[in-house]
Amino acid sequence: MPTLRYGWNRKVSGHPRRSAPVRTDVNIADTGVLQLDGRFQRASNLRDTPLYLKLGFSDGPLGQITKLLYARDRGWRGTLRSNAILTGTPAALALL
């Protein structure tokens, strides 16, 4: 992990040709590309550590994703893309 002066930065990308979905009871050809970009900085304790996480999912065929989730192709066609950015500190985390 490369170090910054006061923090850390890491990028991770997963593609189905290099990594396979966890589900083993269904044959899935392609599930898209998952990307994660994250940074955090130093703080006096873990609860106050500033975090930045950027999550991205692209090129996910709906038929294959429904097959992964429901164990069968539900007949949905199209491509799924999604992005999310999470920022803040663990102390401010709230699950709703």
Side-chain angles (χ1 to χ4, degrees):
M1 226 188 281
T3 42
L4 304 172
R5 182 174 167 101
Y6 296 105
W8 298 84
N9 186 24
R10 178 48 106 191
K11 289 185 180 188
V12 177
S13 179
H15 193 276
R17 290 190 181 96
R18 287 178 240 139
S19 59
V22 174
R23 189 165 189 145
T24 59
D25 61 333
V26 178
N27 185 18
I28 298 172
D30 187 8
T31 55
V33 178
L34 179 65
Q35 295 177 322
L36 169 69
D37 178 11
R39 317 188 262 269
F40 65 94
Q41 296 175 332
R42 291 186 200 176
S44 58
N45 63 47
L46 184 60
R47 292 179 48 82
D48 297 326
T49 303
L51 300 172
Y52 172 86
L53 293 174
K54 181 178 179 184
L55 306 167
F57 180 74
S58 61
D59 303 326
L62 284 175
Q64 294 294 301
I65 293 170
T66 59
K67 198 172 180 182
L68 176 67
L69 297 175
Y70 297 103
R72 67 183 177 90
D73 187 338
R74 307 221 9 142
W76 301 351
R77 296 295 172 254
T79 302
L80 181 65
R81 290 176 190 243
S82 179
N83 292 298
I85 296 176
L86 308 171
T87 62
T89 63
L93 177 65
L95 299 175
L96 305 173

Coordinates of all heavy atoms in Angstrom, one line a residue:
M1 N 0.8 -1.2 0.0 CA 0.0 0.0 0.0 C 0.9 1.2 0.0 O 1.7 1.4 0.9 CB -0.9 0.0 1.3 CG -2.3 0.3 1.0 SD -3.3 0.5 2.5 CE -3.6 -1.1 3.0
P2 N 0.7 2.2 -0.9 CA 1.5 3.4 -0.9 C 1.2 4.3 0.2 O 0.0 4.4 0.6 CB 1.2 4.0 -2.3 CG -0.1 3.5 -2.7 CD -0.2 2.1 -2.1
T3 N 2.1 4.9 0.9 CA 1.9 5.8 2.0 C 1.9 7.2 1.5 O 2.7 7.6 0.7 CB 2.9 5.6 3.1 OG1 4.2 5.5 2.5 CG2 2.6 4.5 4.0
L4 N 0.9 7.9 2.0 CA 0.9 9.4 1.9 C 1.6 10.0 3.1 O 1.8 9.2 4.1 CB -0.5 9.9 1.7 CG -1.3 9.2 0.6 CD1 -2.8 9.6 0.7 CD2 -0.8 9.6 -0.7
R5 N 1.8 11.2 3.2 CA 2.4 11.8 4.4 C 1.6 11.5 5.6 O 2.2 11.2 6.7 CB 2.6 13.3 4.2 CG 3.3 14.0 5.3 CD 3.6 15.4 5.0 NE 4.0 16.1 6.2 CZ 5.2 16.4 6.6 NH1 6.2 16.0 5.8 NH2 5.5 17.0 7.7
Y6 N 0.3 11.6 5.6 CA -0.5 11.4 6.8 C -1.6 10.4 6.6 O -2.6 10.5 7.2 CB -1.1 12.7 7.3 CG 0.0 13.7 7.7 CD1 0.3 14.8 6.9 CD2 0.7 13.5 8.9 CE1 1.3 15.7 7.3 CE2 1.6 14.4 9.3 CZ 2.0 15.5 8.5 OH 2.9 16.4 8.9
G7 N -1.5 9.5 5.6 CA -2.5 8.5 5.4 C -2.2 7.5 4.4 O -1.0 7.3 4.0
W8 N -3.2 6.7 4.0 CA -3.0 5.6 3.1 C -4.0 5.7 1.9 O -5.1 6.2 2.1 CB -3.3 4.3 3.8 CG -2.3 4.0 4.9 CD1 -2.4 4.5 6.2 CD2 -1.1 3.2 4.9 NE1 -1.4 4.0 6.9 CE2 -0.6 3.3 6.1 CE3 -0.5 2.5 3.9 CZ2 0.6 2.6 6.5 CZ3 0.6 1.8 4.2 CH2 1.2 1.9 5.5
N9 N -3.6 5.2 0.8 CA -4.5 5.2 -0.4 C -4.4 3.8 -1.1 O -3.3 3.2 -1.2 CB -4.0 6.3 -1.4 CG -4.9 6.4 -2.6 OD1 -6.1 6.1 -2.5 ND2 -4.4 6.9 -3.7
R10 N -5.5 3.2 -1.5 CA -5.5 1.9 -2.1 C -6.6 1.8 -3.2 O -7.7 2.3 -3.0 CB -5.7 0.8 -1.1 CG -5.8 -0.6 -1.6 CD -4.7 -0.9 -2.5 NE -3.7 -1.8 -1.9 CZ -2.5 -2.0 -2.5 NH1 -2.3 -1.4 -3.7 NH2 -1.7 -2.8 -2.0
K11 N -6.3 1.2 -4.4 CA -7.3 1.0 -5.4 C -7.3 -0.5 -5.7 O -6.3 -1.2 -5.7 CB -6.9 1.7 -6.7 CG -7.0 3.2 -6.6 CD -6.8 3.8 -8.0 CE -6.9 5.3 -7.8 NZ -6.9 6.0 -9.1
V12 N -8.5 -1.1 -5.8 CA -8.7 -2.5 -6.1 C -9.8 -2.6 -7.2 O -10.7 -1.9 -7.2 CB -9.2 -3.2 -4.8 CG1 -9.5 -4.7 -5.1 CG2 -8.2 -3.1 -3.7
S13 N -9.5 -3.5 -8.1 CA -10.5 -3.8 -9.2 C -10.6 -5.3 -9.4 O -9.7 -6.0 -9.3 CB -10.0 -3.1 -10.5 OG -10.9 -3.4 -11.5
G14 N -11.9 -5.7 -9.5 CA -12.1 -7.1 -9.7 C -12.9 -7.4 -11.0 O -13.8 -6.7 -11.3
H15 N -12.4 -8.3 -11.8 CA -13.1 -8.6 -13.1 C -13.3 -10.1 -13.1 O -12.5 -10.9 -12.7 CB -12.2 -8.2 -14.3 CG -12.9 -8.3 -15.6 ND1 -13.0 -9.4 -16.3 CD2 -13.5 -7.3 -16.2 CE1 -13.7 -9.1 -17.4 NE2 -14.1 -7.9 -17.4
P16 N -14.5 -10.6 -13.7 CA -14.8 -12.0 -13.6 C -13.9 -12.9 -14.3 O -13.8 -14.1 -14.0 CB -16.2 -12.0 -14.3 CG -16.3 -10.8 -15.0 CD -15.5 -9.8 -14.3
R17 N -13.1 -12.4 -15.2 CA -12.1 -13.3 -15.9 C -10.9 -13.6 -15.0 O -10.2 -14.6 -15.2 CB -11.7 -12.7 -17.2 CG -12.7 -12.7 -18.2 CD -12.2 -12.3 -19.6 NE -13.3 -12.3 -20.5 CZ -14.0 -11.2 -20.9 NH1 -13.7 -10.1 -20.4 NH2 -15.0 -11.3 -21.7
R18 N -10.7 -12.8 -14.0 CA -9.6 -13.0 -13.0 C -10.1 -13.5 -11.7 O -9.4 -14.1 -10.9 CB -8.9 -11.7 -12.8 CG -8.0 -11.3 -14.0 CD -7.3 -10.0 -13.9 NE -7.8 -9.2 -14.9 CZ -8.1 -7.9 -14.8 NH1 -8.0 -7.3 -13.7 NH2 -8.6 -7.2 -15.9
S19 N -11.4 -13.2 -11.4 CA -11.9 -13.7 -10.1 C -13.4 -14.2 -10.4 O -14.0 -13.6 -11.2 CB -11.9 -12.6 -9.0 OG -12.6 -11.5 -9.5
A20 N -13.8 -15.2 -9.7 CA -15.1 -15.8 -9.9 C -16.0 -15.4 -8.7 O -15.6 -15.2 -7.6 CB -15.0 -17.3 -10.0
P21 N -17.4 -15.4 -9.0 CA -18.3 -15.2 -7.9 C -18.3 -16.3 -6.9 O -17.8 -17.4 -7.3 CB -19.7 -15.1 -8.7 CG -19.4 -15.0 -10.1 CD -18.0 -15.4 -10.3
V22 N -18.7 -16.0 -5.7 CA -18.6 -17.0 -4.7 C -19.6 -18.2 -4.9 O -19.4 -19.3 -4.5 CB -18.9 -16.4 -3.3 CG1 -19.0 -17.4 -2.2 CG2 -17.8 -15.3 -3.0
R23 N -20.8 -17.9 -5.5 CA -21.8 -18.9 -5.6 C -21.3 -20.1 -6.5 O -20.8 -19.9 -7.6 CB -23.0 -18.3 -6.2 CG -24.2 -19.2 -6.2 CD -25.5 -18.4 -6.4 NE -26.5 -19.4 -6.2 CZ -27.7 -19.1 -5.6 NH1 -27.9 -17.8 -5.3 NH2 -28.6 -20.0 -5.5
T24 N -21.4 -21.3 -6.0 CA -20.9 -22.5 -6.8 C -22.0 -23.4 -7.4 O -21.7 -24.2 -8.1 CB -20.0 -23.3 -5.9 OG1 -20.7 -23.7 -4.8 CG2 -18.8 -22.5 -5.4
D25 N -23.2 -23.1 -7.0 CA -24.3 -24.0 -7.5 C -24.9 -23.5 -8.8 O -25.8 -24.1 -9.3 CB -25.4 -24.2 -6.4 CG -26.1 -22.8 -6.1 OD1 -25.4 -21.8 -6.2 OD2 -27.2 -22.9 -5.6
V26 N -24.4 -22.4 -9.4 CA -24.9 -21.8 -10.6 C -23.8 -21.5 -11.5 O -22.8 -20.9 -11.0 CB -25.8 -20.6 -10.3 CG1 -26.3 -19.9 -11.6 CG2 -26.9 -20.9 -9.4
N27 N -23.9 -21.8 -12.8 CA -22.8 -21.5 -13.8 C -23.1 -20.1 -14.3 O -24.1 -19.8 -14.9 CB -22.8 -22.5 -14.9 CG -21.7 -22.2 -15.9 OD1 -20.7 -21.6 -15.5 ND2 -21.8 -22.8 -17.1
I28 N -22.1 -19.1 -14.0 CA -22.3 -17.7 -14.3 C -21.1 -17.3 -15.2 O -19.9 -17.5 -14.8 CB -22.4 -16.8 -13.1 CG1 -23.6 -17.2 -12.3 CG2 -22.4 -15.4 -13.5 CD1 -23.7 -16.6 -11.0
A29 N -21.4 -16.8 -16.4 CA -20.3 -16.4 -17.3 C -19.7 -15.1 -17.0 O -18.5 -14.9 -17.1 CB -20.9 -16.4 -18.8
D30 N -20.5 -14.1 -16.7 CA -19.9 -12.7 -16.5 C -20.8 -12.0 -15.5 O -22.0 -12.0 -15.5 CB -20.0 -12.0 -17.8 CG -19.3 -10.6 -17.8 OD1 -18.6 -10.3 -16.8 OD2 -19.4 -9.9 -18.8
T31 N -20.2 -11.3 -14.5 CA -20.9 -10.5 -13.5 C -20.5 -9.1 -13.5 O -21.0 -8.4 -12.6 CB -20.7 -11.2 -12.1 OG1 -19.3 -11.2 -11.9 CG2 -21.3 -12.5 -12.0
G32 N -19.7 -8.6 -14.4 CA -19.3 -7.2 -14.4 C -18.0 -6.9 -13.7 O -17.3 -7.8 -13.4
V33 N -17.7 -5.6 -13.5 CA -16.4 -5.2 -13.0 C -16.7 -4.4 -11.7 O -17.5 -3.5 -11.7 CB -15.6 -4.3 -14.0 CG1 -14.4 -3.8 -13.3 CG2 -15.4 -5.1 -15.3
L34 N -16.1 -4.8 -10.6 CA -16.2 -4.1 -9.3 C -14.9 -3.3 -9.1 O -13.8 -3.9 -9.2 CB -16.4 -5.1 -8.2 CG -16.6 -4.6 -6.8 CD1 -17.8 -3.7 -6.7 CD2 -16.6 -5.7 -5.8
Q35 N -15.0 -2.0 -8.7 CA -13.9 -1.2 -8.4 C -14.0 -0.6 -7.1 O -15.1 -0.2 -6.7 CB -13.7 -0.1 -9.5 CG -13.4 -0.7 -10.8 CD -13.3 0.4 -11.9 OE1 -14.0 1.4 -11.9 NE2 -12.3 0.2 -12.8
L36 N -12.9 -0.5 -6.3 CA -12.9 0.2 -5.0 C -11.7 1.1 -4.9 O -10.6 0.6 -5.2 CB -12.9 -0.9 -3.9 CG -12.6 -0.4 -2.5 CD1 -13.8 0.4 -2.0 CD2 -12.3 -1.6 -1.6
D37 N -11.9 2.3 -4.6 CA -10.9 3.3 -4.3 C -11.1 3.8 -2.9 O -12.1 4.3 -2.6 CB -10.9 4.4 -5.4 CG -9.9 5.5 -5.2 OD1 -8.9 5.2 -4.4 OD2 -10.0 6.5 -5.8
G38 N -10.1 3.6 -2.1 CA -10.2 4.1 -0.7 C -9.0 4.8 -0.1 O -7.9 4.5 -0.5
R39 N -9.3 5.7 0.8 CA -8.2 6.4 1.5 C -8.6 6.6 2.9 O -9.8 6.8 3.2 CB -7.9 7.8 1.0 CG -7.9 8.0 -0.4 CD -7.4 9.5 -0.7 NE -8.5 10.4 -0.9 CZ -9.0 10.6 -2.1 NH1 -8.5 10.0 -3.2 NH2 -10.0 11.4 -2.3
F40 N -7.6 6.6 3.8 CA -7.9 7.1 5.2 C -6.7 7.8 5.7 O -5.6 7.6 5.2 CB -8.3 5.9 6.0 CG -7.3 4.8 6.3 CD1 -6.5 4.9 7.4 CD2 -7.1 3.8 5.4 CE1 -5.5 3.9 7.6 CE2 -6.2 2.8 5.6 CZ -5.4 2.9 6.7
Q41 N -6.9 8.6 6.7 CA -5.8 9.4 7.2 C -5.6 9.1 8.7 O -6.5 8.5 9.3 CB -6.1 10.9 7.1 CG -6.2 11.4 5.6 CD -6.7 12.8 5.5 OE1 -7.4 13.3 6.3 NE2 -6.2 13.4 4.4
R42 N -4.5 9.5 9.2 CA -4.3 9.3 10.6 C -5.2 10.1 11.5 O -5.6 11.2 11.2 CB -2.8 9.7 11.0 CG -1.8 8.8 10.4 CD -0.5 9.3 10.9 NE 0.6 8.8 10.0 CZ 1.9 9.1 10.2 NH1 2.2 9.9 11.2 NH2 2.8 8.7 9.4
A43 N -5.4 9.5 12.7 CA -6.2 10.2 13.7 C -5.7 9.6 15.1 O -5.1 8.6 15.2 CB -7.7 10.0 13.6
S44 N -6.1 10.3 16.2 CA -5.7 9.9 17.5 C -6.3 8.5 17.9 O -5.7 7.7 18.6 CB -6.0 10.9 18.5 OG -7.4 11.2 18.5
N45 N -7.5 8.2 17.4 CA -8.1 6.9 17.6 C -8.9 6.5 16.3 O -9.2 7.3 15.5 CB -9.0 6.9 18.8 CG -10.1 7.8 18.8 OD1 -10.8 7.8 17.8 ND2 -10.3 8.6 19.8
L46 N -9.2 5.2 16.2 CA -9.8 4.7 15.0 C -11.2 5.3 14.7 O -11.5 5.6 13.6 CB -9.9 3.2 15.1 CG -10.5 2.4 13.9 CD1 -9.6 2.7 12.7 CD2 -10.6 1.0 14.2
R47 N -11.9 5.6 15.7 CA -13.3 6.2 15.5 C -13.2 7.6 14.8 O -14.2 8.0 14.2 CB -14.0 6.3 16.9 CG -14.4 5.0 17.5 CD -15.0 5.2 18.8 NE -16.1 6.2 18.9 CZ -17.4 5.9 18.5 NH1 -17.7 4.7 18.0 NH2 -18.3 6.9 18.6
D48 N -12.1 8.3 14.9 CA -12.0 9.6 14.3 C -11.2 9.6 13.1 O -10.9 10.7 12.6 CB -11.4 10.6 15.4 CG -12.3 10.7 16.6 OD1 -13.5 10.7 16.4 OD2 -11.7 10.9 17.7
T49 N -10.9 8.5 12.5 CA -10.1 8.4 11.3 C -11.0 8.9 10.1 O -12.0 8.3 9.8 CB -9.7 7.0 11.0 OG1 -8.9 6.5 12.1 CG2 -8.8 6.8 9.8
P50 N -10.6 9.9 9.3 CA -11.3 10.3 8.1 C -11.2 9.3 7.0 O -10.1 8.8 6.7 CB -10.6 11.6 7.7 CG -9.9 12.1 8.9 CD -9.5 10.8 9.6
L51 N -12.3 8.8 6.5 CA -12.4 7.8 5.4 C -13.0 8.3 4.2 O -13.8 9.2 4.2 CB -13.2 6.6 5.9 CG -12.8 5.9 7.2 CD1 -13.9 4.9 7.6 CD2 -11.5 5.2 6.9
Y52 N -12.5 7.8 3.0 CA -13.1 8.1 1.7 C -13.1 6.8 1.0 O -12.1 6.2 0.7 CB -12.2 9.1 1.0 CG -12.7 9.3 -0.5 CD1 -13.7 10.2 -0.8 CD2 -12.1 8.6 -1.5 CE1 -14.1 10.4 -2.1 CE2 -12.5 8.8 -2.8 CZ -13.5 9.7 -3.1 OH -13.9 9.9 -4.4
L53 N -14.3 6.3 0.6 CA -14.4 5.1 -0.2 C -15.3 5.4 -1.4 O -16.4 5.9 -1.3 CB -15.1 4.0 0.6 CG -14.3 3.4 1.8 CD1 -15.2 2.4 2.6 CD2 -13.1 2.7 1.3
K54 N -14.8 5.0 -2.6 CA -15.5 5.2 -3.8 C -15.7 3.8 -4.4 O -14.7 3.0 -4.7 CB -14.7 6.0 -4.8 CG -15.4 6.3 -6.1 CD -14.6 7.2 -7.0 CE -15.3 7.4 -8.3 NZ -14.5 8.2 -9.2
L55 N -16.9 3.4 -4.5 CA -17.3 2.0 -5.0 C -17.9 2.2 -6.4 O -18.8 3.1 -6.6 CB -18.3 1.3 -4.1 CG -17.9 1.2 -2.6 CD1 -19.1 0.8 -1.8 CD2 -16.8 0.3 -2.5
G56 N -17.5 1.3 -7.3 CA -18.1 1.4 -8.7 C -18.4 0.0 -9.2 O -17.6 -1.0 -8.9
F57 N -19.5 -0.2 -9.9 CA -19.8 -1.5 -10.5 C -20.3 -1.2 -11.9 O -21.1 -0.3 -12.1 CB -20.9 -2.2 -9.7 CG -21.3 -3.5 -10.3 CD1 -20.5 -4.6 -10.1 CD2 -22.5 -3.6 -11.0 CE1 -20.8 -5.8 -10.7 CE2 -22.9 -4.8 -11.5 CZ -22.0 -5.9 -11.4
S58 N -19.7 -1.8 -12.9 CA -20.1 -1.6 -14.3 C -20.1 -2.8 -15.1 O -19.5 -3.8 -14.7 CB -19.1 -0.6 -14.9 OG -17.8 -1.1 -14.9
D59 N -20.8 -2.7 -16.2 CA -20.8 -3.8 -17.2 C -21.4 -5.1 -16.7 O -21.0 -6.2 -17.1 CB -19.5 -4.0 -17.9 CG -18.9 -2.8 -18.5 OD1 -19.7 -2.0 -19.0 OD2 -17.7 -2.6 -18.4
G60 N -22.3 -5.0 -15.8 CA -23.0 -6.2 -15.2 C -24.2 -6.6 -16.0 O -25.2 -5.8 -15.9
P61 N -24.2 -7.7 -16.7 CA -25.4 -8.1 -17.4 C -26.5 -8.5 -16.5 O -26.3 -9.3 -15.6 CB -25.0 -9.3 -18.3 CG -23.5 -9.5 -18.0 CD -23.1 -8.5 -16.9
L62 N -27.7 -7.9 -16.6 CA -28.8 -8.2 -15.7 C -29.2 -9.7 -15.6 O -29.5 -10.2 -14.5 CB -30.0 -7.3 -16.0 CG -29.9 -5.9 -15.6 CD1 -31.2 -5.1 -16.1 CD2 -29.8 -5.7 -14.1
G63 N -29.1 -10.3 -16.7 CA -29.5 -11.8 -16.7 C -28.5 -12.6 -15.9 O -29.0 -13.5 -15.1
Q64 N -27.2 -12.3 -15.9 CA -26.3 -13.0 -15.1 C -26.3 -12.6 -13.7 O -26.1 -13.5 -12.8 CB -24.9 -12.8 -15.7 CG -24.6 -13.3 -17.1 CD -24.7 -14.8 -17.1 OE1 -23.9 -15.5 -16.4 NE2 -25.6 -15.4 -17.8
I65 N -26.6 -11.3 -13.4 CA -26.7 -10.9 -12.0 C -27.9 -11.5 -11.3 O -27.9 -12.0 -10.2 CB -26.7 -9.4 -11.9 CG1 -25.4 -8.8 -12.4 CG2 -27.1 -8.9 -10.5 CD1 -25.3 -7.4 -12.6
T66 N -29.1 -11.6 -12.0 CA -30.2 -12.2 -11.4 C -30.0 -13.7 -11.2 O -30.5 -14.3 -10.3 CB -31.5 -12.0 -12.3 OG1 -31.3 -12.5 -13.6 CG2 -31.9 -10.6 -12.4
K67 N -29.2 -14.3 -12.1 CA -28.9 -15.7 -12.0 C -28.0 -15.9 -10.7 O -28.2 -16.9 -10.0 CB -28.1 -16.2 -13.2 CG -28.0 -17.7 -13.4 CD -27.4 -18.0 -14.8 CE -27.3 -19.4 -15.0 NZ -26.7 -19.7 -16.3
L68 N -27.1 -15.0 -10.4 CA -26.3 -15.1 -9.2 C -27.2 -14.9 -8.0 O -27.0 -15.6 -7.0 CB -25.2 -14.0 -9.3 CG -24.4 -13.8 -8.0 CD1 -23.5 -15.1 -7.9 CD2 -23.5 -12.6 -8.1
L69 N -28.1 -14.0 -8.0 CA -28.9 -13.7 -6.8 C -30.1 -14.7 -6.6 O -30.4 -15.1 -5.5 CB -29.5 -12.3 -6.9 CG -28.5 -11.2 -6.9 CD1 -29.2 -9.8 -7.1 CD2 -27.7 -11.1 -5.6
Y70 N -30.8 -15.1 -7.7 CA -31.9 -16.0 -7.6 C -31.7 -17.4 -8.0 O -32.7 -18.2 -8.0 CB -33.1 -15.4 -8.4 CG -33.5 -14.0 -8.0 CD1 -33.1 -12.9 -8.7 CD2 -34.4 -13.9 -6.9 CE1 -33.6 -11.6 -8.3 CE2 -34.8 -12.6 -6.5 CZ -34.4 -11.5 -7.2 OH -34.8 -10.3 -6.8
A71 N -30.5 -17.8 -8.4 CA -30.2 -19.1 -8.9 C -30.9 -19.5 -10.2 O -30.9 -20.6 -10.6 CB -30.5 -20.2 -7.9
R72 N -31.5 -18.5 -10.9 CA -32.0 -18.7 -12.2 C -32.1 -17.3 -13.0 O -32.2 -16.3 -12.3 CB -33.4 -19.3 -12.2 CG -34.5 -18.4 -11.6 CD -35.8 -19.2 -11.5 NE -36.8 -18.4 -10.8 CZ -37.6 -17.6 -11.5 NH1 -37.6 -17.4 -12.8 NH2 -38.5 -16.9 -10.8
D73 N -32.0 -17.4 -14.3 CA -32.1 -16.2 -15.1 C -33.6 -15.7 -15.1 O -34.5 -16.5 -15.5 CB -31.6 -16.5 -16.5 CG -31.5 -15.2 -17.4 OD1 -32.2 -14.2 -17.0 OD2 -30.8 -15.3 -18.3
R74 N -33.9 -14.5 -14.6 CA -35.3 -14.0 -14.5 C -35.7 -13.4 -15.8 O -36.8 -12.8 -15.9 CB -35.4 -13.1 -13.4 CG -34.8 -13.7 -12.1 CD -35.5 -13.5 -10.9 NE -36.8 -12.9 -10.8 CZ -37.8 -13.2 -10.0 NH1 -37.6 -14.3 -9.2 NH2 -38.9 -12.6 -9.9
G75 N -34.9 -13.4 -16.9 CA -35.3 -12.9 -18.2 C -35.1 -11.4 -18.3 O -35.5 -10.8 -19.3
W76 N -34.4 -10.8 -17.3 CA -34.1 -9.3 -17.4 C -32.9 -9.1 -18.3 O -32.0 -9.8 -18.3 CB -33.8 -8.7 -16.0 CG -34.9 -8.9 -15.0 CD1 -36.2 -9.3 -15.3 CD2 -34.8 -8.6 -13.6 NE1 -36.9 -9.4 -14.1 CE2 -36.1 -8.9 -13.1 CE3 -33.8 -8.2 -12.8 CZ2 -36.4 -8.8 -11.7 CZ3 -34.1 -8.1 -11.5 CH2 -35.3 -8.3 -10.9
R77 N -33.0 -8.1 -19.2 CA -31.9 -7.8 -20.1 C -31.5 -6.4 -19.9 O -32.3 -5.5 -19.6 CB -32.3 -8.1 -21.5 CG -32.7 -9.5 -21.8 CD -31.4 -10.4 -21.7 NE -31.7 -11.8 -21.7 CZ -31.8 -12.6 -20.7 NH1 -31.5 -12.2 -19.5 NH2 -32.0 -13.9 -20.8
G78 N -30.2 -6.1 -20.1 CA -29.6 -4.8 -20.0 C -28.3 -4.9 -19.2 O -27.8 -6.0 -18.9
T79 N -27.8 -3.7 -18.9 CA -26.5 -3.7 -18.2 C -26.6 -2.8 -17.0 O -27.3 -1.8 -17.0 CB -25.4 -3.1 -19.2 OG1 -25.3 -3.9 -20.3 CG2 -24.1 -3.0 -18.5
L80 N -26.1 -3.2 -15.9 CA -26.2 -2.5 -14.6 C -24.9 -1.7 -14.4 O -23.8 -2.3 -14.5 CB -26.4 -3.5 -13.5 CG -26.6 -3.0 -12.1 CD1 -27.8 -2.1 -12.0 CD2 -26.6 -4.1 -11.1
R81 N -25.0 -0.5 -14.0 CA -23.9 0.4 -13.5 C -24.4 1.0 -12.2 O -25.5 1.5 -12.1 CB -23.6 1.4 -14.6 CG -23.0 0.9 -15.8 CD -22.7 2.1 -16.8 NE -22.4 1.5 -18.0 CZ -21.2 1.7 -18.6 NH1 -20.3 2.5 -18.1 NH2 -20.9 1.1 -19.7
S82 N -23.4 1.2 -11.3 CA -23.7 1.8 -10.0 C -22.4 2.4 -9.5 O -21.4 1.8 -9.6 CB -24.3 0.8 -9.1 OG -24.6 1.4 -7.8
N83 N -22.6 3.5 -8.8 CA -21.4 4.2 -8.1 C -21.9 4.7 -6.8 O -23.1 5.1 -6.6 CB -20.9 5.4 -9.0 CG -20.3 4.9 -10.2 OD1 -19.3 4.2 -10.2 ND2 -20.8 5.3 -11.4
A84 N -21.0 4.7 -5.8 CA -21.3 5.2 -4.5 C -20.0 5.8 -3.9 O -18.9 5.3 -4.1 CB -21.8 4.1 -3.6
I85 N -20.2 6.9 -3.2 CA -19.0 7.5 -2.5 C -19.4 7.6 -1.0 O -20.5 8.1 -0.7 CB -18.7 8.9 -3.0 CG1 -18.2 8.7 -4.5 CG2 -17.6 9.5 -2.2 CD1 -17.9 10.1 -5.1
L86 N -18.6 7.0 -0.1 CA -18.8 7.1 1.3 C -17.7 7.9 1.9 O -16.5 7.6 1.7 CB -18.8 5.7 1.9 CG -19.7 4.7 1.2 CD1 -19.4 3.3 1.7 CD2 -21.2 5.0 1.4
T87 N -18.0 8.9 2.7 CA -17.0 9.7 3.4 C -17.4 10.0 4.8 O -18.6 9.9 5.1 CB -16.8 11.1 2.7 OG1 -18.1 11.8 2.7 CG2 -16.4 11.0 1.3
G88 N -16.5 10.2 5.6 CA -16.8 10.5 7.0 C -15.8 9.8 8.0 O -14.7 9.4 7.6
T89 N -16.3 9.6 9.2 CA -15.5 8.8 10.2 C -16.3 7.6 10.7 O -17.6 7.7 10.6 CB -15.2 9.7 11.4 OG1 -16.4 10.1 12.0 CG2 -14.4 11.0 11.0
P90 N -15.7 6.6 11.2 CA -16.4 5.5 11.8 C -17.4 5.9 12.9 O -18.4 5.3 13.1 CB -15.3 4.5 12.3 CG -14.2 4.8 11.4 CD -14.2 6.3 11.1
A91 N -17.0 7.0 13.6 CA -17.9 7.5 14.7 C -19.2 8.0 14.2 O -20.2 7.9 14.9 CB -17.1 8.5 15.5
A92 N -19.2 8.5 13.0 CA -20.4 9.1 12.4 C -21.2 8.1 11.6 O -22.2 8.4 11.0 CB -20.0 10.3 11.5
L93 N -20.8 6.8 11.6 CA -21.5 5.8 10.8 C -22.8 5.5 11.4 O -23.0 5.3 12.5 CB -20.6 4.5 10.8 CG -21.2 3.3 10.0 CD1 -21.4 3.6 8.6 CD2 -20.4 2.1 10.3
A94 N -23.8 5.5 10.5 CA -25.2 5.2 10.9 C -25.8 4.3 9.8 O -25.8 4.6 8.6 CB -26.0 6.4 11.1
L95 N -26.3 3.1 10.2 CA -27.0 2.3 9.2 C -28.5 2.4 9.4 O -29.0 2.2 10.5 CB -26.6 0.8 9.5 CG -25.1 0.5 9.3 CD1 -24.8 -0.9 9.7 CD2 -24.6 0.8 7.9
L96 N -29.1 2.8 8.3 CA -30.6 3.1 8.4 C -31.3 2.0 7.6 O -30.9 1.5 6.7 CB -30.9 4.5 7.8 CG -30.2 5.6 8.5 CD1 -30.4 6.9 7.8 CD2 -30.6 5.7 9.9

